[in-house]
Amino acid sequence: AKAIKDECEGELAVAMPLLEAALQALNTLTKADITEVKSMKNPPAAVKVVMEAVCQMLQVKPKKVNDPANPSRRIDDYWSPSQALLGESGFMAKLQEYDKDNIPPAIIAAVRPYIDKPEFAPEVVQKASKA
């Protein structure tokens, strides 16, 4: 149990500065920024990655779609659910009020792989879209 606790605390030490940076960026967003992202038919990879992570944190399930590379396979698509999430009137408040001090370990584990993706870096996301 102590090893698990130490591992979680180590992951939190990495994630917390990213979360704080994300919260600061969130405070600069306008409704127009959100509308711009929501209206994207095929958003840049950085936008998709960030919204996938947001879906993971808010426990929004992906939509199963045919894999464009292999139509006989189904893959998880987070963009449709992301657009619905972006359209919610309380979306910004939901993010701002997120209980970052009590994130369940399963959600931390689900979000962890996103942190290591190059397109998740704030400077890359900012180039892709202000929002």
Side-chain angles (χ1 to χ4, degrees), residues 44-50 117-131:
V47 172
K48 278 188 167 181
V49 167
V50 168
K117 291 185 178 193
E119 57 268 61
F120 196 75
E123 57 277 4
V124 174
V125 175
Q126 199 166 23
K127 284 180 190 163
S129 170
K130 181 183 185 296

mmCIF file of all heavy atoms in Angstrom, residues 44-50 117-131:
data_model
loop_
_atom_site.group_PDB
_atom_site.id
_atom_site.type_symbol
_atom_site.label_atom_id
_atom_site.label_comp_id
_atom_site.label_asym_id
_atom_site.label_seq_id
_atom_site.Cartn_x
_atom_site.Cartn_y
_atom_site.Cartn_z
ATOM 1 N N PRO A 44 -6.542 20.108 -34.855
ATOM 2 C CA PRO A 44 -5.133 19.703 -34.786
ATOM 3 C C PRO A 44 -4.941 18.625 -33.709
ATOM 4 O O PRO A 44 -5.712 18.556 -32.749
ATOM 5 C CB PRO A 44 -4.404 20.991 -34.394
ATOM 6 C CG PRO A 44 -5.347 22.101 -34.723
ATOM 7 C CD PRO A 44 -6.726 21.533 -34.607
ATOM 8 N N ALA A 45 -3.914 17.811 -33.893
ATOM 9 C CA ALA A 45 -3.647 16.701 -32.960
ATOM 10 C C ALA A 45 -3.554 17.194 -31.508
ATOM 11 O O ALA A 45 -4.071 16.539 -30.599
ATOM 12 C CB ALA A 45 -2.364 15.980 -33.358
ATOM 13 N N ALA A 46 -2.921 18.343 -31.301
ATOM 14 C CA ALA A 46 -2.757 18.866 -29.935
ATOM 15 C C ALA A 46 -4.115 19.132 -29.286
ATOM 16 O O ALA A 46 -4.316 18.841 -28.102
ATOM 17 C CB ALA A 46 -1.915 20.130 -29.955
ATOM 18 N N VAL A 47 -5.050 19.673 -30.050
ATOM 19 C CA VAL A 47 -6.389 19.950 -29.519
ATOM 20 C C VAL A 47 -7.080 18.634 -29.158
ATOM 21 O O VAL A 47 -7.682 18.501 -28.089
ATOM 22 C CB VAL A 47 -7.226 20.759 -30.539
ATOM 23 C CG1 VAL A 47 -8.675 20.880 -30.087
ATOM 24 C CG2 VAL A 47 -6.613 22.140 -30.751
ATOM 25 N N LYS A 48 -6.966 17.649 -30.046
ATOM 26 C CA LYS A 48 -7.589 16.342 -29.786
ATOM 27 C C LYS A 48 -7.022 15.701 -28.523
ATOM 28 O O LYS A 48 -7.758 15.161 -27.702
ATOM 29 C CB LYS A 48 -7.380 15.399 -30.977
ATOM 30 C CG LYS A 48 -8.361 15.593 -32.091
ATOM 31 C CD LYS A 48 -8.183 14.492 -33.125
ATOM 32 C CE LYS A 48 -9.345 14.479 -34.086
ATOM 33 N NZ LYS A 48 -9.238 13.426 -35.082
ATOM 34 N N VAL A 49 -5.703 15.751 -28.380
ATOM 35 C CA VAL A 49 -5.053 15.126 -27.218
ATOM 36 C C VAL A 49 -5.510 15.782 -25.917
ATOM 37 O O VAL A 49 -5.838 15.102 -24.949
ATOM 38 C CB VAL A 49 -3.509 15.174 -27.368
ATOM 39 C CG1 VAL A 49 -2.816 14.828 -26.065
ATOM 40 C CG2 VAL A 49 -3.054 14.221 -28.464
ATOM 41 N N VAL A 50 -5.550 17.108 -25.906
ATOM 42 C CA VAL A 50 -5.985 17.816 -24.693
ATOM 43 C C VAL A 50 -7.435 17.462 -24.365
ATOM 44 O O VAL A 50 -7.769 17.170 -23.216
ATOM 45 C CB VAL A 50 -5.807 19.342 -24.842
ATOM 46 C CG1 VAL A 50 -6.519 20.092 -23.718
ATOM 47 C CG2 VAL A 50 -4.332 19.694 -24.858
ATOM 48 N N LYS A 117 2.980 12.889 -23.936
ATOM 49 C CA LYS A 117 2.861 13.121 -25.386
ATOM 50 C C LYS A 117 3.387 14.506 -25.733
ATOM 51 O O LYS A 117 3.036 15.496 -25.077
ATOM 52 C CB LYS A 117 1.400 12.994 -25.834
ATOM 53 C CG LYS A 117 0.880 11.574 -25.764
ATOM 54 C CD LYS A 117 -0.519 11.488 -26.342
ATOM 55 C CE LYS A 117 -0.973 10.035 -26.301
ATOM 56 N NZ LYS A 117 -2.170 9.825 -27.095
ATOM 57 N N PRO A 118 4.205 14.609 -26.795
ATOM 58 C CA PRO A 118 4.747 15.922 -27.167
ATOM 59 C C PRO A 118 3.646 16.933 -27.509
ATOM 60 O O PRO A 118 3.777 18.117 -27.205
ATOM 61 C CB PRO A 118 5.611 15.637 -28.403
ATOM 62 C CG PRO A 118 5.588 14.181 -28.642
ATOM 63 C CD PRO A 118 4.696 13.531 -27.635
ATOM 64 N N GLU A 119 2.541 16.467 -28.097
ATOM 65 C CA GLU A 119 1.473 17.394 -28.477
ATOM 66 C C GLU A 119 0.670 17.886 -27.280
ATOM 67 O O GLU A 119 -0.189 18.742 -27.419
ATOM 68 C CB GLU A 119 0.580 16.823 -29.584
ATOM 69 C CG GLU A 119 -0.077 15.504 -29.305
ATOM 70 C CD GLU A 119 0.724 14.287 -29.768
ATOM 71 O OE1 GLU A 119 1.856 14.090 -29.282
ATOM 72 O OE2 GLU A 119 0.213 13.514 -30.567
ATOM 73 N N PHE A 120 0.971 17.369 -26.083
ATOM 74 C CA PHE A 120 0.292 17.806 -24.860
ATOM 75 C C PHE A 120 1.019 19.004 -24.231
ATOM 76 O O PHE A 120 0.477 19.672 -23.360
ATOM 77 C CB PHE A 120 0.214 16.640 -23.865
ATOM 78 C CG PHE A 120 -0.787 16.849 -22.757
ATOM 79 C CD1 PHE A 120 -2.141 16.737 -23.001
ATOM 80 C CD2 PHE A 120 -0.375 17.147 -21.469
ATOM 81 C CE1 PHE A 120 -3.077 16.922 -21.984
ATOM 82 C CE2 PHE A 120 -1.301 17.324 -20.438
ATOM 83 C CZ PHE A 120 -2.650 17.212 -20.707
ATOM 84 N N ALA A 121 2.230 19.274 -24.697
ATOM 85 C CA ALA A 121 3.016 20.387 -24.140
ATOM 86 C C ALA A 121 2.278 21.709 -24.380
ATOM 87 O O ALA A 121 1.798 21.957 -25.483
ATOM 88 C CB ALA A 121 4.398 20.425 -24.782
ATOM 89 N N PRO A 122 2.153 22.545 -23.345
ATOM 90 C CA PRO A 122 1.393 23.798 -23.480
ATOM 91 C C PRO A 122 1.780 24.646 -24.684
ATOM 92 O O PRO A 122 0.921 25.195 -25.361
ATOM 93 C CB PRO A 122 1.672 24.524 -22.167
ATOM 94 C CG PRO A 122 1.965 23.434 -21.189
ATOM 95 C CD PRO A 122 2.666 22.370 -21.992
ATOM 96 N N GLU A 123 3.095 24.727 -24.967
ATOM 97 C CA GLU A 123 3.512 25.568 -26.102
ATOM 98 C C GLU A 123 3.046 24.996 -27.449
ATOM 99 O O GLU A 123 2.727 25.740 -28.374
ATOM 100 C CB GLU A 123 5.032 25.810 -26.100
ATOM 101 C CG GLU A 123 5.894 24.576 -26.111
ATOM 102 C CD GLU A 123 6.119 23.939 -24.735
ATOM 103 O OE1 GLU A 123 5.535 24.405 -23.728
ATOM 104 O OE2 GLU A 123 6.867 22.949 -24.686
ATOM 105 N N VAL A 124 2.956 23.678 -27.547
ATOM 106 C CA VAL A 124 2.465 23.033 -28.777
ATOM 107 C C VAL A 124 0.960 23.268 -28.905
ATOM 108 O O VAL A 124 0.455 23.602 -29.976
ATOM 109 C CB VAL A 124 2.785 21.516 -28.780
ATOM 110 C CG1 VAL A 124 2.149 20.831 -29.972
ATOM 111 C CG2 VAL A 124 4.297 21.291 -28.766
ATOM 112 N N VAL A 125 0.245 23.109 -27.800
ATOM 113 C CA VAL A 125 -1.215 23.300 -27.803
ATOM 114 C C VAL A 125 -1.535 24.752 -28.151
ATOM 115 O O VAL A 125 -2.443 25.021 -28.940
ATOM 116 C CB VAL A 125 -1.824 22.921 -26.429
ATOM 117 C CG1 VAL A 125 -3.303 23.241 -26.391
ATOM 118 C CG2 VAL A 125 -1.576 21.453 -26.136
ATOM 119 N N GLN A 126 -0.774 25.677 -27.617
ATOM 120 C CA GLN A 126 -1.025 27.097 -27.857
ATOM 121 C C GLN A 126 -0.862 27.446 -29.336
ATOM 122 O O GLN A 126 -1.608 28.272 -29.874
ATOM 123 C CB GLN A 126 -0.088 27.944 -27.009
ATOM 124 C CG GLN A 126 -0.561 29.360 -26.834
ATOM 125 C CD GLN A 126 0.187 30.074 -25.722
ATOM 126 O OE1 GLN A 126 1.292 29.691 -25.372
ATOM 127 N NE2 GLN A 126 -0.416 31.102 -25.165
ATOM 128 N N LYS A 127 0.089 26.804 -30.010
ATOM 129 C CA LYS A 127 0.270 27.046 -31.449
ATOM 130 C C LYS A 127 -0.894 26.483 -32.244
ATOM 131 O O LYS A 127 -1.278 27.028 -33.272
ATOM 132 C CB LYS A 127 1.574 26.403 -31.938
ATOM 133 C CG LYS A 127 2.809 27.176 -31.555
ATOM 134 C CD LYS A 127 4.050 26.491 -32.075
ATOM 135 C CE LYS A 127 5.292 27.143 -31.485
ATOM 136 N NZ LYS A 127 6.463 26.309 -31.618
ATOM 137 N N ALA A 128 -1.481 25.380 -31.756
ATOM 138 C CA ALA A 128 -2.584 24.730 -32.467
ATOM 139 C C ALA A 128 -3.881 25.524 -32.336
ATOM 140 O O ALA A 128 -4.647 25.626 -33.279
ATOM 141 C CB ALA A 128 -2.784 23.311 -31.940
ATOM 142 N N SER A 129 -4.111 26.070 -31.145
ATOM 143 C CA SER A 129 -5.320 26.848 -30.901
ATOM 144 C C SER A 129 -5.163 27.610 -29.597
ATOM 145 O O SER A 129 -4.628 27.079 -28.628
ATOM 146 C CB SER A 129 -6.526 25.908 -30.790
ATOM 147 O OG SER A 129 -7.658 26.605 -30.334
ATOM 148 N N LYS A 130 -5.665 28.851 -29.571
ATOM 149 C CA LYS A 130 -5.608 29.628 -28.329
ATOM 150 C C LYS A 130 -6.370 28.911 -27.227
ATOM 151 O O LYS A 130 -5.968 28.890 -26.082
ATOM 152 C CB LYS A 130 -6.168 31.025 -28.554
ATOM 153 C CG LYS A 130 -6.117 31.890 -27.296
ATOM 154 C CD LYS A 130 -6.742 33.244 -27.521
ATOM 155 C CE LYS A 130 -6.597 34.140 -26.323
ATOM 156 N NZ LYS A 130 -7.263 33.693 -25.130
ATOM 157 N N ALA A 131 -7.500 28.301 -27.598
ATOM 158 C CA ALA A 131 -8.314 27.610 -26.616
ATOM 159 C C ALA A 131 -7.679 26.303 -26.242
ATOM 160 O O ALA A 131 -7.943 25.753 -25.206
ATOM 161 C CB ALA A 131 -9.718 27.387 -27.154
#
